[in-house]
Amino acid sequence: MSALDIQFHRGGVFLPKLGLWLDPHLPIAGPEQVFISHAHSDHTGIHREIIVSEPTSRLMHARIAGEWSENILPFGTSRQFKATGFPYNLTLLPAGHIFGSAMSLVEVESSSLLYTGDFKLRQGLSAEKCEPRKADILIMETTYGRPHYKFPPTPEVIRGVIRFCREALDNDETAVLLGYSLGKSQELLCGLADAGLPIMLHGTVHKLTKIYEQFGQCFPAYEKYESSLARGKVLLCPPNVSNSNMLRNLGRCRIAVLTGWAVDPNCRFRYNAHAAFPLSDHADFTDLISLVEQVQPKKIYTLHGFAAEFAQTLRERGYDAQALSQEEQLSLPLTLTPPKKIKPPSRETDLTPVRAQAPQPLGFAAFATTCAAVGSTTKKLEKTRILADYFKTLDRDSLLLTSVWFTGVPFPSSQNKILQLGWAVIRDSLCAISGMDQGEFGQIYLKHSDLGETTFEVLQREESSSQMQSVKQTGELFDALLAARGPIAKLPLLTRALRESSPLEGKYLVKILTGDLRIGLKEGLVEDAIAQAFEAPLDKVKSANLLLGHIGETAVLAQHQQLNSASLVPYRPVKYMLASPEETAADIWQRVIEWHDKGRARNGTELPLPNFPADHLITVWVEDKYDGIRAQLHKVGNAVAIYSRDLKEITSTFLEVADKARKLEGDFILDGEIVGMRGEQVLPYSELQKRLGRKEGDLFMGEQLPVQLVVFDLLWINGENLLDQPLAVRRARLEKIEGSAFRLARITRVHSSEEIEEAFTAARARDNEGLIIKEPSSVYTPGRRGLAWLKLKKAFATLDCVVVGAEYGHGKRKDVLSDYTFAVRDDKTGELKTIGKAYSGLTDVEIAQLTSHFLKRVEWQKGRFHAVKPDTVLEIAFDLIQPSSRHSSGLAMRFPRIIRIRTDKTINEIDTLATATALVKPAR
C-alpha cells in the first residue's frame, strides 16, 4: 500500500499511513494530526492537534471556544511531522481563498500530494496570492465545477456594488450588503476603499475585521453597527440577517447578496435580496482548469460542489480524475449554446450621449435624456431645475404620463395596476434582439445586477434602430403590457419596443417597467418641479396630489392653472389625515388651549361637539387609538372597495366588512380602523396580521379571526365632498347614516389634562394603544400630519439607568457627546449590564454639560465610543422591553428616550436587571 493511500471519511480526507487528516468536519480526538486549511466554520473543529497558519489560528480562537494543540507554520516553510505512521514533510502554501487560508503540500518518500482546501487563483484584495506547486496527486475543491460558473473581473463587480450603494443612499435607503463575515466582508470592504461611502459593520464582521488589522491589513473608515445610527449607511452583514428584525427595524432598505451563486438567475430570490453580485472567494470553472494545468498531477481527486461532474470533465480532457465526494450543492444552471460573436461594448458611459444629445420634446428619448441628467447630479435643486425645464416643453398628454414615470412606476399607485412582467421576459427579449444566449446575458447581468444597466450594454452591442418612440407610444406600450396575459403574450410586445429603442431609451424603459428608476428623484421633488415649471404655489400642488393620488393629473392641473378644481372621487382613494404625537397629557392640554384661543380669535364663538351640551368653556374630543389597520371604505350602490394606508385595495381580505357596507343606505366614503374583535374583546394586532396579504376570501377566516370596522370620519356622501367641513359637522352627518353595520368610534368630552390621563388609562384597559385627540373645528387634510389631530402613546414605563458609554453625535451635535449607552445592575452579581442607547430628550445645554463631565471621566476609548465612569443616572422611558442579544443584559428597550437627568440619585439607586426583566411583555 502506498504511503499516500487516500480515504474520504468523517467529512474530510484521511491519509491513514501518515496519520494525517485534511479538513475533517467531525472532531478528531485520537493521536492523528489535523490540517485545517482556513477558519470558516465548516472547516474548523476542536481536534487534539492541528496544523495551521498563524492568521487561521488567530481567527479560530476568535470564532470557537475550546482547547487544542497547535503547530503554526509560516507559508513556504517545510516541516517534518510524524503521528502514527510514516514521517512526512508538510509545507503550507497560500490558497488565496481568505486571509490565512492554506494549501498543504505533503511529501513522503518519493511522492507528493497537494491538497487545496478552498482556493482562488484570482488575486484577492484581502487574502494572500495563491501559490500552488507541482505534485503527483492533487486533491482539489470543486464548488463551482460546472462550465457556466465563470465570474466577471472583480473590479467590474465592485463598480456594480458601489453603484448599487450610491443609488440606495440617493433614495434615502439603507444599503445592506450580505456576505460571509469572514473573508467576503473584508474583501468587499477593501473594494469599497475609494468609494467614500459611510460604512457600518455587523458585530461579527467588525470582530473579525479587527483581527485582520492586527496583521497589518488596512481598510477604509467604518463604524460598528448601532441600530440607532444605521439608517442611511452601507451595512456589511452576514447572510443570516436577511429575514431578521434587525433589517425590518431599519425602515427602507436595499439589499444585495454577494456570492458566486449569483451566476444563477434566481439567486437573489433565495436570499430575499434586490440584487446579487458574483463576488466569490472560490475558484470559478476557469480557475479550476488552470490549477490542474499548473500542478500537472498524475492523479486528481475532486471534492465538494460538482465533484463528479468536474471529474468527468477532466477525464474528457485526458486526466486521471476521480470524485472523492459527490455532495450536492444548490444550483440552477443557465442553458448554454455555442457563443455568438457580437460587437464589443462601447467604452463610453451612458451619460456621454446625454450631454451631447439635443432636446427632443415629446419623444421618449428626451425623457430618457432627462432621467440620465437628473441621475448625474446629487444636488436636489439642480434635479428640480432639470425636471422643471423638461416639463415646460411638454403638451398635456406627455406631461400626464411622464410625471408619473419620474416617480419610478408606469402607473400611479392609486390605480393599483400591476404589470406582472418578470425578469425572465426582459432577459428573453434582450436575448432575442441581440442573438446572445442566456449564459452570455447572465455574464453581462452579473456585472451590473441591474436590468436597466444590463439593457443599456446589450443594446449598445447592436446597431441602433431607434424609431423615435413618442411618449404617447410608450404609454400605449405600458397599457398593452398590462392587458397582455402571461409571458408569451408580453414577450413580443416588449421585444418590438426594445428593438426600436436606443440604448439609453431601453435602459430607462426597463427601469420603469421594473419600478427601479433610482435617479434620486422622490415624488416630493417632482412636486417641486411642477410648481417651478408652472409657477404654481407648492402647497397647492402638494394638496392636489394628496387629493387626486395621481401626480400626472396634478401636473396637468398646474399647467392649466386649475389646481383649485381638484376634487374627491369615489374609488380613487386619498391619503389619510395623520395625527402628530405628543409625549404627555399636559402637552396635549396646552395644544387644546391654543386651539381654543385660535377659535375665539377666528370667529368669537365655540363650535360644540355633536350630542353634547356646550356647558364648559374649553373642551376636547378624545377617541381611543385602535391597534388595527387604517381603512378607507368607498361605497356607491352595491359596489364597495376598501383601501389600506398605502392605498392598496384590500377588499378581498375583509369581505365581511364589504358585505356589511352594502346593507347601508346611500353612497359614502368612510375613514376608520379595521380591528380584530371577538365580541367586545379587542384582539392583539399579531392576530390581525394573519389575515393580511390574502388575495382571496377565506370562508372560515371571519369566524377564526373576526374583525370590526370602527368608523371615525366621513369624507364624502351622496356626491358631496366633506373634506372642507369641520370635523364636528362630518361626525354629525356620519351619525345620520342609517343602519348599525359598523361601530362608531366612541368620543369622550374632557376638560383637563387630568381627564385626558383618565381617558388614556381607560383606553389601555380596553386593550387599545392610547388616545387620539381632535379639534372639532378641523377640516380633513389628506396626507398631512398637522396639529389638528394629536395622539398620545405614553411610554410603558421608565427605568433609572447609569450611563456607561458616550459617543459624539451627528450634524449639529458632531462636537458633543450626545449618544449615551446605559445599564442596569445585575442584582445577583452586582455587575452593570447594558440595556439600551438613547440620544433624544435632553436640551443642548444639558448635553454640553454632560459632554464636559464625561470627557473628564473617560476610562477607555475606541473610535467614537468613550467608556465613562458610571456616575450619571438618567431616567429612561420606553414603549416596551423585549429579549435581545444586542446588550449584555439580554434585554433591549423599544424606542428609548431620556426623560431627565437624575441628579438626586447615585449609581447605588439605579434599577436592577430583575426589575427590567419583570417588565418584559409583548408589544401592544
Side-chain angles (χ1 to χ4, degrees), residues 132-148:
R133 292 186 186 176
K134 294 181 179 180
D136 299 317
I137 300 173
L138 172 63
I139 304 177
M140 61 185 300
E141 68 109 347
T142 53
T143 301
Y144 295 108
R146 284 182 173 175
H148 78 274

Side-chain angles (χ1 to χ4, degrees), residues 533-579:
F534 306 115
E535 300 180 353
L538 180 58
D539 61 338
K540 288 191 176 183
V541 171
K542 290 181 177 295
S543 295
N545 190 33
L546 289 170
L547 192 58
L548 298 173
H550 192 308
I551 189 69
E553 292 182 3
T554 301
V556 169
L557 290 181
Q559 185 184 45
H560 293 85
Q561 306 298 313
Q562 295 176 351
L563 287 170
N564 290 332
S565 66
S567 179
L568 183 61
V569 176
Y571 309 115
R572 187 171 63 189
V574 297
K575 295 184 179 181
Y576 292 86
M577 184 171 177
L578 305 173

